[in-house]
Short mmCIF file of all heavy atoms in Angstrom, two decimals:
data_model
loop_
_atom_site.label_atom_id
_atom_site.label_comp_id
_atom_site.label_asym_id
_atom_site.label_seq_id
_atom_site.Cartn_x
_atom_site.Cartn_y
_atom_site.Cartn_z
N GLU A 1 -121.89 -60.98 102.42
CA GLU A 1 -123.10 -61.78 102.80
C GLU A 1 -123.35 -61.65 104.33
O GLU A 1 -124.47 -61.99 104.82
CB GLU A 1 -122.88 -63.25 102.47
CG GLU A 1 -122.56 -63.55 100.96
CD GLU A 1 -121.13 -63.53 100.67
OE1 GLU A 1 -120.26 -63.05 101.52
OE2 GLU A 1 -120.74 -63.97 99.60
N LEU A 2 -122.35 -61.17 105.04
CA LEU A 2 -122.44 -61.04 106.50
C LEU A 2 -122.30 -59.63 106.93
O LEU A 2 -121.70 -58.78 106.25
CB LEU A 2 -121.32 -61.86 107.16
CG LEU A 2 -121.29 -63.35 106.88
CD1 LEU A 2 -119.98 -63.95 107.33
CD2 LEU A 2 -122.47 -64.04 107.57
N PRO A 3 -122.80 -59.28 108.10
CA PRO A 3 -122.55 -57.87 108.70
C PRO A 3 -121.02 -57.69 108.83
O PRO A 3 -120.28 -58.66 109.02
CB PRO A 3 -123.23 -57.92 110.04
CG PRO A 3 -124.28 -59.01 109.91
CD PRO A 3 -123.70 -60.03 109.02
N PHE A 4 -120.54 -56.48 108.82
CA PHE A 4 -119.14 -56.19 108.80
C PHE A 4 -118.36 -56.82 109.95
O PHE A 4 -117.33 -57.49 109.70
CB PHE A 4 -118.91 -54.64 108.86
CG PHE A 4 -117.45 -54.31 108.88
CD1 PHE A 4 -116.69 -54.36 107.74
CD2 PHE A 4 -116.87 -53.84 110.09
CE1 PHE A 4 -115.32 -54.03 107.75
CE2 PHE A 4 -115.51 -53.50 110.09
CZ PHE A 4 -114.75 -53.60 108.93
N LEU A 5 -118.86 -56.76 111.15
CA LEU A 5 -118.10 -57.29 112.27
C LEU A 5 -117.99 -58.83 112.26
O LEU A 5 -117.13 -59.43 112.91
CB LEU A 5 -118.69 -56.83 113.57
CG LEU A 5 -118.54 -55.34 113.88
CD1 LEU A 5 -119.18 -55.00 115.23
CD2 LEU A 5 -117.06 -54.89 113.87
N GLU A 6 -118.87 -59.47 111.50
CA GLU A 6 -118.85 -60.94 111.36
C GLU A 6 -117.89 -61.40 110.26
O GLU A 6 -117.57 -62.63 110.21
CB GLU A 6 -120.25 -61.48 111.17
CG GLU A 6 -121.17 -61.26 112.30
CD GLU A 6 -122.55 -61.83 112.04
OE1 GLU A 6 -122.69 -62.76 111.21
OE2 GLU A 6 -123.52 -61.37 112.68
N ARG A 7 -117.40 -60.47 109.49
CA ARG A 7 -116.52 -60.84 108.31
C ARG A 7 -115.14 -61.22 108.76
O ARG A 7 -114.45 -61.99 108.03
CB ARG A 7 -116.52 -59.66 107.31
CG ARG A 7 -117.87 -59.39 106.69
CD ARG A 7 -117.87 -58.11 105.84
NE ARG A 7 -119.20 -57.64 105.59
CZ ARG A 7 -119.53 -56.51 104.99
NH1 ARG A 7 -118.55 -55.74 104.57
NH2 ARG A 7 -120.80 -56.13 104.88
N PHE A 8 -114.68 -60.77 109.88
CA PHE A 8 -113.40 -61.10 110.36
C PHE A 8 -113.25 -62.61 110.58
O PHE A 8 -112.32 -63.25 110.12
CB PHE A 8 -113.03 -60.38 111.64
CG PHE A 8 -112.90 -58.87 111.49
CD1 PHE A 8 -114.03 -58.03 111.49
CD2 PHE A 8 -111.69 -58.32 111.31
CE1 PHE A 8 -113.87 -56.71 111.29
CE2 PHE A 8 -111.52 -56.94 111.17
CZ PHE A 8 -112.64 -56.15 111.17
N ALA A 9 -114.20 -63.20 111.29
CA ALA A 9 -114.24 -64.62 111.54
C ALA A 9 -114.40 -65.40 110.25
O ALA A 9 -113.73 -66.45 110.09
CB ALA A 9 -115.34 -64.99 112.51
N ALA A 10 -115.24 -64.91 109.36
CA ALA A 10 -115.40 -65.57 108.10
C ALA A 10 -114.16 -65.62 107.26
O ALA A 10 -113.84 -66.64 106.64
CB ALA A 10 -116.56 -64.90 107.33
N ALA A 11 -113.42 -64.50 107.25
CA ALA A 11 -112.20 -64.52 106.51
C ALA A 11 -111.18 -65.51 107.08
O ALA A 11 -110.46 -66.20 106.40
CB ALA A 11 -111.56 -63.09 106.51
N SER A 12 -111.12 -65.50 108.41
CA SER A 12 -110.22 -66.46 109.09
C SER A 12 -110.59 -67.89 108.76
O SER A 12 -109.73 -68.73 108.44
CB SER A 12 -110.24 -66.22 110.59
OG SER A 12 -109.41 -67.14 111.26
N GLN A 13 -111.85 -68.19 108.78
CA GLN A 13 -112.31 -69.52 108.48
C GLN A 13 -111.99 -69.97 107.05
O GLN A 13 -111.78 -71.18 106.73
CB GLN A 13 -113.79 -69.68 108.78
CG GLN A 13 -114.15 -69.63 110.24
CD GLN A 13 -115.61 -69.36 110.49
OE1 GLN A 13 -116.47 -69.42 109.60
NE2 GLN A 13 -115.95 -69.11 111.80
N ALA A 14 -111.96 -68.95 106.18
CA ALA A 14 -111.62 -69.25 104.77
C ALA A 14 -110.10 -69.40 104.56
O ALA A 14 -109.71 -69.74 103.43
CB ALA A 14 -112.15 -68.14 103.89
N GLY A 15 -109.29 -69.10 105.54
CA GLY A 15 -107.89 -69.29 105.43
C GLY A 15 -107.05 -68.04 105.41
O GLY A 15 -105.81 -68.10 105.34
N PHE A 16 -107.67 -66.86 105.47
CA PHE A 16 -106.91 -65.60 105.45
C PHE A 16 -106.31 -65.36 106.83
O PHE A 16 -106.92 -65.55 107.83
CB PHE A 16 -107.85 -64.40 105.08
CG PHE A 16 -108.26 -64.41 103.64
CD1 PHE A 16 -109.48 -64.97 103.25
CD2 PHE A 16 -107.43 -63.87 102.65
CE1 PHE A 16 -109.87 -64.99 101.91
CE2 PHE A 16 -107.81 -63.88 101.29
CZ PHE A 16 -109.03 -64.46 100.93
N LYS A 17 -105.06 -64.89 106.81
CA LYS A 17 -104.39 -64.48 108.04
C LYS A 17 -104.38 -63.02 108.27
O LYS A 17 -103.87 -62.48 109.31
CB LYS A 17 -102.92 -64.98 107.98
CG LYS A 17 -102.78 -66.45 107.77
CD LYS A 17 -103.43 -67.24 108.89
CE LYS A 17 -103.16 -68.77 108.66
NZ LYS A 17 -103.93 -69.60 109.63
N ALA A 18 -104.87 -62.24 107.27
CA ALA A 18 -104.89 -60.75 107.36
C ALA A 18 -106.08 -60.24 106.64
O ALA A 18 -106.70 -60.90 105.74
CB ALA A 18 -103.58 -60.18 106.75
N VAL A 19 -106.52 -59.01 107.01
CA VAL A 19 -107.63 -58.32 106.40
C VAL A 19 -107.31 -56.86 106.20
O VAL A 19 -106.38 -56.29 106.87
CB VAL A 19 -108.90 -58.42 107.25
CG1 VAL A 19 -109.31 -59.93 107.44
CG2 VAL A 19 -108.75 -57.76 108.60
N GLU A 20 -108.02 -56.24 105.28
CA GLU A 20 -108.03 -54.83 105.10
C GLU A 20 -109.47 -54.42 104.89
O GLU A 20 -110.33 -55.24 104.70
CB GLU A 20 -107.17 -54.40 103.85
CG GLU A 20 -107.64 -55.00 102.60
CD GLU A 20 -106.87 -54.54 101.34
OE1 GLU A 20 -105.64 -54.33 101.50
OE2 GLU A 20 -107.49 -54.41 100.28
N PHE A 21 -109.73 -53.10 104.86
CA PHE A 21 -111.07 -52.62 104.59
C PHE A 21 -110.99 -51.14 104.31
O PHE A 21 -109.98 -50.48 104.50
CB PHE A 21 -112.03 -52.87 105.75
CG PHE A 21 -111.44 -52.84 107.11
CD1 PHE A 21 -111.23 -51.58 107.77
CD2 PHE A 21 -110.99 -53.92 107.82
CE1 PHE A 21 -110.69 -51.46 109.06
CE2 PHE A 21 -110.39 -53.90 109.10
CZ PHE A 21 -110.27 -52.65 109.69
N LEU A 22 -112.11 -50.62 103.79
CA LEU A 22 -112.18 -49.23 103.43
C LEU A 22 -112.14 -48.34 104.66
O LEU A 22 -111.22 -47.52 104.81
CB LEU A 22 -113.41 -48.95 102.57
CG LEU A 22 -113.70 -47.50 102.18
CD1 LEU A 22 -112.62 -46.94 101.27
CD2 LEU A 22 -115.05 -47.37 101.53
N ALA A 23 -113.15 -48.42 105.49
CA ALA A 23 -113.24 -47.53 106.67
C ALA A 23 -113.98 -48.23 107.78
O ALA A 23 -115.08 -48.75 107.57
CB ALA A 23 -113.99 -46.27 106.24
N PRO A 24 -113.47 -48.14 108.97
CA PRO A 24 -114.11 -48.86 110.13
C PRO A 24 -114.93 -47.96 110.99
O PRO A 24 -115.39 -48.33 112.09
CB PRO A 24 -112.87 -49.33 110.92
CG PRO A 24 -111.83 -48.22 110.73
CD PRO A 24 -112.09 -47.74 109.34
N TYR A 25 -115.15 -46.71 110.58
CA TYR A 25 -115.61 -45.66 111.50
C TYR A 25 -117.07 -45.73 111.89
O TYR A 25 -117.49 -44.97 112.75
CB TYR A 25 -115.26 -44.27 110.89
CG TYR A 25 -113.80 -44.22 110.45
CD1 TYR A 25 -113.49 -44.22 109.13
CD2 TYR A 25 -112.78 -44.19 111.42
CE1 TYR A 25 -112.17 -44.15 108.71
CE2 TYR A 25 -111.45 -44.20 111.02
CZ TYR A 25 -111.14 -44.18 109.67
OH TYR A 25 -109.84 -44.18 109.30
N ASP A 26 -117.81 -46.67 111.35
CA ASP A 26 -119.17 -46.88 111.83
C ASP A 26 -119.20 -47.64 113.14
O ASP A 26 -120.24 -47.76 113.77
CB ASP A 26 -119.99 -47.65 110.78
CG ASP A 26 -120.34 -46.81 109.60
OD1 ASP A 26 -120.38 -45.63 109.67
OD2 ASP A 26 -120.68 -47.43 108.53
N PHE A 27 -118.04 -48.12 113.55
CA PHE A 27 -117.90 -48.84 114.80
C PHE A 27 -116.76 -48.27 115.59
O PHE A 27 -115.88 -47.57 115.06
CB PHE A 27 -117.58 -50.36 114.48
CG PHE A 27 -118.56 -50.97 113.53
CD1 PHE A 27 -118.37 -50.97 112.20
CD2 PHE A 27 -119.71 -51.54 114.04
CE1 PHE A 27 -119.24 -51.56 111.32
CE2 PHE A 27 -120.67 -52.12 113.18
CZ PHE A 27 -120.42 -52.12 111.81
N THR A 28 -116.74 -48.50 116.92
CA THR A 28 -115.62 -48.06 117.72
C THR A 28 -114.38 -48.86 117.40
O THR A 28 -114.42 -49.97 116.96
CB THR A 28 -115.88 -48.15 119.17
OG1 THR A 28 -116.01 -49.57 119.59
CG2 THR A 28 -117.26 -47.47 119.56
N ALA A 29 -113.21 -48.26 117.68
CA ALA A 29 -111.98 -49.01 117.41
C ALA A 29 -111.91 -50.26 118.25
O ALA A 29 -111.43 -51.33 117.83
CB ALA A 29 -110.74 -48.10 117.76
#
């Protein structure tokens, strides 16, 4: 529902302490 870079904060707010994803290469490291 959110742009990719905003999903990190959303996951944290939902209680997740870790994330994974397919590929980050549309953005700089």
Side-chain angles (χ1 to χ4, degrees):
E1 303 89 347
L2 299 168
F4 178 74
L5 292 179
E6 296 179 22
R7 297 174 197 173
F8 293 83
S12 178
Q13 290 166 8
F16 289 97
K17 304 299 183 186
V19 299
E20 62 175 33
F21 35 81
L22 175 65
Y25 309 109
D26 286 341
F27 307 92
T28 68

